[in-house]
Amino acid sequence: MNVLLGANAVAALAGIAFAVVGGVRPTALSESGTPTAGERFYGWMYATRGVPLGAAALVAPLAWSGPAGSLILCAAAAAQVGDAVIGVATRKWTMIAGASLLTSIHTATAVATA
């Protein structure tokens, strides 16, 4: 169980890190040269979703065992599924792999702590 909680913490921190990078340097994730106004806008939108959700996924299994913590982890997993689908649509294999791994970790932690 401790290994799973550790993996979940690493996954949550990775999600937070990518959200911050998306907000501060959106071109790092989009791989374009100069960020457009739309890239900056959506980068900040991603950050405002990803940072609080990642922080909740980090704290939830430690603070609330049972249904409350599992619900938060399921929400974090659902957001990662969305990121994986975006990765499929844009053919970004690293995004697909990373988001799929984080989905698996959050889901496994939700089941284990339910």
Side-chain angles (χ1 to χ4, degrees):
M1 178 64 120
N2 287 337
V3 171
L4 189 55
L5 290 173
N8 186 73
V10 170
L13 290 170
I16 292 168
F18 276 97
V20 169
V21 169
V24 175
R25 288 200 49 212
T27 57
L29 300 180
S30 68
E31 300 171 2
S32 65
T34 303
T36 65
E39 282 178 309
R40 286 190 297 276
F41 174 77
Y42 283 105
W44 282 113
M45 283 186 58
Y46 175 57
T48 59
R49 172 198 63 102
V51 171
L53 193 53
L58 176 66
V59 172
L62 305 173
W64 308 289
S65 61
S70 293
L71 180 63
I72 292 169
L73 289 169
C74 287
Q80 292 298 333
V81 167
D83 289 347
V85 169
I86 292 168
V88 169
T90 59
R91 293 191 170 103
K92 293 187 186 266
W93 304 111
T94 54
M95 186 175 184
I96 298 165
S100 297
L101 178 63
L102 270 59
T103 297
S104 300
I105 293 170
H106 289 325
T107 302
T109 307
V111 170
T113 61

